[in-house]
Amino acid sequence: MHLGQDMNKNMRVVASGAPLVSEIDRWIRTHLQQVIDKNGTATIALAGGSTPKVVYQALSKAEFAWDKLHVFWGDERFVPSSHPDSNEKMARENWLDLVAMPAANIHPWPTTAGTPEQCAELYGAELAKYFAAPQPSFDLVLLGMGEDGHTASLFPHTAALGVVDRSTTVGQKDGQPRLTLTVPAINNAACVAFIITGASKRPALKQVMAAAADSQEYPTRLIQPTGELIWWFDEAAAADLDNLG
Ligand code: 6PG
């Protein structure tokens, strides 16, 4: 899909640091509150890596009906939750363990339950049970993008990009297993929001937004949700994207 012109309305460029964090924090809470007002509860799948950490820190300071939110992860490293690389550990330390969120509302990948394939299968079963459907329909999926154009743990030219018959799979990064939602599982979300900052992401972002580029090379291009697709950039990341609305 050509992401160019028609995407401008969903692209937001904000000054790096506190201004961007504050806008994203407020937008996430407003978005989730609207879902809770309508449905009674809301679901979110979190991004890992370093970029969202400051957003999670801001969320941890907010007044919110955390008991109405169920938290999942879009991807996870194949490590225990005590490991410094764990996305679960990062989100708990910076947000989830700092607010009144019931333990039952937090749904981490079972990274110590067996092989990576077994972990992915167990998480897929948990998603199927929670959403009562083969694919989850998250109210909101937060994603980052790597300098290579990957998102979640959907890395360039890996088999994970082509897995469409289930909601979870095992990704590969430099030969190491990573646990990830599949493209269809992400695209089935009501809303997907990317948070992309820093000049280092500019080359990949330009390819992601180009009229034509290889989605196997830039897997972020595969994220084309049936619902909303929102892009949050700081000025450094968005510098090459002309005609932003
Ligand atoms: C992970 C993330 C991954 C991340 C990108 C961007 O597990 O690392 O899910 O997809 O979002 O690699 O990472 P940064 O935000 O740290 O640049």
Side-chain angles (χ1 to χ4, degrees):
M1 174 173 86
H2 177 195
L3 298 174
Q5 304 309 319
D6 56 333
M7 295 302 294
N8 287 353
K9 67 183 184 316
N10 289 339
M11 294 182 180
R12 291 115 193 237
V13 183
V14 183
S16 190
L20 178 63
V21 171
S22 167
E23 285 222 21
I24 297 174
D25 163 36
R26 194 179 321 114
W27 175 80
I28 288 174
R29 286 187 284 114
T30 303
H31 186 89
L32 292 174
Q33 189 59 58
Q34 286 167 349
V35 175
I36 290 168
D37 291 347
K38 184 163 160 261
N39 302 337
T41 59
T43 57
I44 186 171
L46 301 185
S50 57
T51 302
K53 184 172 172 180
V54 285
V55 173
Y56 300 162
Q57 290 169 348
L59 287 166
S60 76
K61 298 180 177 67
E63 282 303 310
F64 191 83
W66 298 118
D67 62 322
K68 301 288 192 297
L69 180 64
H70 280 259
V71 176
F72 301 80
W73 277 262
D75 72 318
E76 185 55 277
R77 289 83 183 278
F78 185 57
V79 295
S81 58
S82 56
H83 191 283
D85 290 349
S86 165
N87 288 336
E88 176 190 351
K89 177 178 169 61
M90 187 273 276
R92 282 185 178 276
E93 287 179 348
N94 291 282
W95 170 22
L96 305 180
D97 289 352
L98 309 177
V99 298
M101 185 178 290
N105 288 32
I106 302 173
H107 307 266
W109 289 76
T111 56
T112 55
T115 65
E117 290 72 17
Q118 288 167 333
C119 295
E121 204 167 314
L122 283 169
Y123 203 58
E126 181 175 354
L127 293 174
K129 183 162 175 261
Y130 185 91
F131 289 96
Q135 289 292 3
S137 47
F138 291 108
D139 296 305
L140 178 57
V141 175
L142 295 183
L143 292 174
M145 185 194 73
E147 294 175 16
D148 61 357
H150 84 263
T151 190
S153 284
L154 300 164
F155 289 91
H157 302 293
T158 57
L161 303 184
V163 176
V164 294
D165 63 345
R166 70 201 76 162
S167 60
T168 60
T169 193
V170 179
Q172 292 292 331
K173 177 181 184 180
D174 307 331
Q176 292 304 310
R178 298 280 284 267
L179 303 165
T180 188
L181 293 181
T182 57
V183 171
I186 296 172
N187 283 341
N188 200 46
C191 180
V192 175
F194 278 93
I195 304 172
I196 302 174
T197 63
S200 69
K201 307 293 175 77
R202 276 166 60 181
L205 195 53
K206 196 164 184 176
Q207 294 301 318
V208 165
M209 297 300 177
D214 180 0
S215 297
Q216 295 296 301
E217 183 71 25
Y218 298 98
T220 295
R221 291 178 65 88
L222 296 169
I223 306 306
Q224 301 166 23
T226 44
E228 275 188 288
L229 178 55
I230 310 282
W231 302 85
W232 289 98
F233 303 130
D234 69 357
E235 288 149 339
D240 296 333
L241 300 180
D242 51 0
N243 306 325
L244 278 178

